[in-house]
Amino acid sequence: MASFSSSAKVIVTLAFLVLFIGSSSAQLSTNFYSQSCPRLFPTVKSAVQSAISKEARIGASILRLFFHDCFVNGCDGSLLLDDTSSFTGEKRAGPNVNSARGFDVVDNIKSAVENVCPGVVSCADILAIATRDSVVTLGGPSWNVKLGRRDARTASQAAANRSIPPPTSNLNALISSFSAVGLSTRDMVALSGSHTIGQARCTNFRARIYNETNLDSSLAQTRQGNCPRIAGSGDNNLAPLDLQTPTTFENNYYKNLVNQRGLLHSDQQLFNGGSTDSLVRTYSSNPSTFNSDFVAAMIKMGDIKPLTGSNGEIRKNCRRRN
């Protein structure tokens, strides 16, 4: 080792740093809490099933929280932080205000987990597990959730406004938004299948149902019944993203797109004569292909910039920093 030059040592050190920094997602593992919190999974599952039995829509709401968390500086629980007099969180960002919901359910799950293993499991990981359990409870596929994320001590309203694709997005904007966080076009189309469950507000589909022609006329007429043309009137009136089965997770979303029955502008963009048409057709006729691609994309999304090791913290209360 005496002949090992200082420049070589620098190269090795740099290589190690690149490997270490670039592999933060590799530090996540599916058995992260197997010793420290063995009752974690049944505890979360029970709380999620209880919440969904009270209100089926909440499963979609939890899934959406995970998207909106991961897309803004990674899956770090930053979305869960409340605003204070000295701290501006992400809850009042455009994509979340009057819209993101289910925070009380996350609080309940966190409390249940704290009862069985206090101070061990992050809010970011609880949200990741609750998302999987929500999908499964509503009839969708299961997957092994990678864990070991820690909770952010910061949040960014500006990044939330910038990073989460709005429902007015065209196909290129959607592809760019997902690409910016390391997700492929295929991932984007598969993850959009989340819109097989949940509800949208009138303000987010008003322009589509009154102005766009690539929309089934009977659906437009139905939706106009509870979404007045005039902005400011009925803005928060809800409609199911998938009219047939709004609380069942399957591939009807893609069947709807093929029939020009996507509720949001951004939904129908996936099947509108563009590069993703063929994949939408595939998912519409092959539920198993959709399920496997959705699972792969969810795992990939869960790997976005996690805080690990000594970064961040394990919050005691998901709404505020320790």
Side-chain angles (χ1 to χ4, degrees):
M1 288 297 291
S3 62
F4 201 68
S5 71
S6 59
S7 60
K9 285 179 184 172
V10 169
I11 290 168
V12 170
T13 303
L14 285 173
F16 174 77
L17 283 171
V18 168
L19 183 68
F20 184 76
I21 293 167
S23 66
S24 59
S25 63
Q27 294 171 45
L28 301 182
S29 67
T30 55
N31 62 354
F32 189 84
Y33 298 108
S34 59
Q35 301 298 315
S36 58
C37 192
R39 291 167 60 193
L40 172 60
F41 290 124
T43 301
V44 175
K45 185 178 183 180
S46 173
V48 168
Q49 289 176 334
S50 172
I52 290 176
S53 71
K54 293 187 185 86
E55 187 204 20
R57 180 190 173 202
I58 204 69
S61 301
I62 290 170
L63 173 54
R64 187 163 180 260
L65 289 182
F66 188 56
F67 275 98
H68 284 209
D69 185 37
C70 291
F71 262 68
V72 183
N73 298 323
C75 312
D76 60 4
S78 59
L79 173 58
L80 305 174
L81 291 167
D82 282 344
D83 287 6
T84 69
S85 56
S86 58
F87 177 87
T88 303
E90 296 164 17
K91 289 183 177 178
R92 294 192 59 76
N96 297 326
V97 68
N98 298 323
S99 173
R101 62 193 296 277
F103 298 108
D104 53 337
V105 173
V106 175
D107 292 340
N108 292 342
I109 300 169
K110 173 67 169 172
S111 295
V113 171
E114 287 295 300
N115 283 340
V116 297
C117 41
V120 173
V121 185
S122 68
C123 297
D125 276 347
I126 284 171
L127 182 55
I129 302 167
T131 296
R132 186 269 312 271
D133 291 347
S134 293
V135 170
V136 172
T137 302
L138 294 175
S142 187
W143 62 95
N144 292 325
V145 181
K146 291 164 71 172
L147 300 166
R149 301 170 191 82
R150 289 167 64 85
D151 295 321
R153 293 184 50 75
T154 59
S156 174
Q157 189 179 96
N161 283 323
R162 187 173 61 244
S163 304
I164 299 167
T168 51
S169 302
N170 63 25
L171 182 58
N172 286 339
L174 290 169
I175 290 170
S176 296
S177 293
F178 280 72
S179 176
V181 293
L183 296 171
S184 69
T185 300
R186 192 177 186 97
D187 296 328
M188 183 270 289
V189 178
L191 291 170
S192 297
S194 297
H195 286 180
T196 185
I197 53 175
Q199 309 266 331
R201 294 183 302 146
C202 164
T203 185
N204 286 327
F205 59 82
R206 175 183 281 122
R208 173 151 167 75
I209 63 173
Y210 287 104
N211 303 331
E212 297 186 14
T213 55
N214 61 345
L215 174 63
D216 175 75
S217 57
S218 66
L219 179 64
Q221 204 167 3
T222 300
R223 290 285 69 94
Q224 286 170 11
N226 78 326
C227 182
R229 185 189 291 267
I230 306 301
S233 174
D235 283 4
N236 293 323
N237 291 355
L238 296 172
L241 288 158
D242 168 16
L243 188 57
Q244 286 81 19
T245 53
T247 57
T248 304
F249 193 101
E250 22 65 336
N251 67 331
N252 271 356
Y253 169 79
Y254 302 100
K255 296 177 184 177
N256 290 338
L257 297 187
V258 170
N259 292 309
Q260 295 197 319
R261 292 173 70 84
L263 182 60
L264 303 178
H265 174 83
S266 53
D267 288 332
Q268 198 60 54
Q269 282 289 295
L270 304 185
F271 191 85
N272 195 41
S275 60
T276 54
D277 280 19
S278 60
L279 188 53
V280 169
R281 279 199 190 278
T282 297
Y283 291 160
S284 74
S285 56
N286 294 276
S288 60
T289 304
F290 162 56
N291 282 343
S292 59
D293 281 6
F294 177 80
V295 162
M298 285 297 292
I299 293 169
K300 198 167 161 186
M301 185 172 74
D303 278 345
I304 298 172
K305 293 201 301 191
L307 296 170
T308 57
S310 59
N311 294 314
E313 64 183 14
I314 304 297
R315 268 182 233 147
K316 294 181 178 70
N317 177 332
C318 292
R319 292 175 181 267
R320 56 177 179 265
R321 299 173 290 183
N322 291 343

